[in-house]
Amino acid sequence: LREDDSLLVVENAGKRRRMYICRGVPEIFPFAPVARKEVSAVQWHTIDDVPKKSFAVLPFLKQLKRWIKKNTNKKRNNTSTGRSGSTG
């Protein structure tokens, strides 16, 4: 993970699932899943309009919304001051 990226973890029924959050990915990025049936389609949605049948994403929504709220202001502040995300 890069400095601006994050990892969310959810455990459900003994399974640990991870969601990687990567900033700055263009909407036209050519995603290429490696494992068979890993991802059937890549689609962009606003956080409040994620389809209910996105069962792999739904367990992360609460944490994801919290992360967005926490990090949106941080990104804006760093951009307006001309600084990167580093603190040291």
Side-chain angles (χ1 to χ4, degrees):
L1 291 175
R2 298 173 310 175
E3 184 176 334
D4 285 345
D5 297 342
S6 295
L7 171 67
L8 301 180
V9 179
V10 171
E11 283 197 45
N12 189 5
K15 291 186 178 182
R16 179 175 286 179
R17 296 183 180 193
R18 295 170 183 88
M19 174 182 276
Y20 296 92
I21 301 172
C22 303
R23 289 181 180 254
V25 177
E27 289 186 28
I28 60 170
F29 185 84
F31 290 98
V34 177
R36 197 181 97 185
K37 296 186 179 184
E38 179 181 26
V39 175
S40 60
V42 175
Q43 298 176 335
W44 297 95
H45 299 278
T46 61
I47 193 72
D48 293 323
D49 293 328
V50 173
K52 298 298 179 207
K53 60 184 177 180
S54 303
F55 62 92
V57 177
L58 293 178
F60 294 97
L61 280 182
K62 186 175 179 179
Q63 288 183 48
L64 185 56
K65 286 179 180 182
R66 191 179 315 129
W67 184 92
I68 290 168
K69 186 175 181 179
K70 177 182 173 188
N71 288 280
T72 299
N73 290 335
K74 183 169 92 173
K75 183 179 179 187
R76 284 187 189 143
N77 289 341
N78 289 339
T79 302
S80 65
T81 60
R83 293 178 20 192
S84 67
S86 64
T87 57

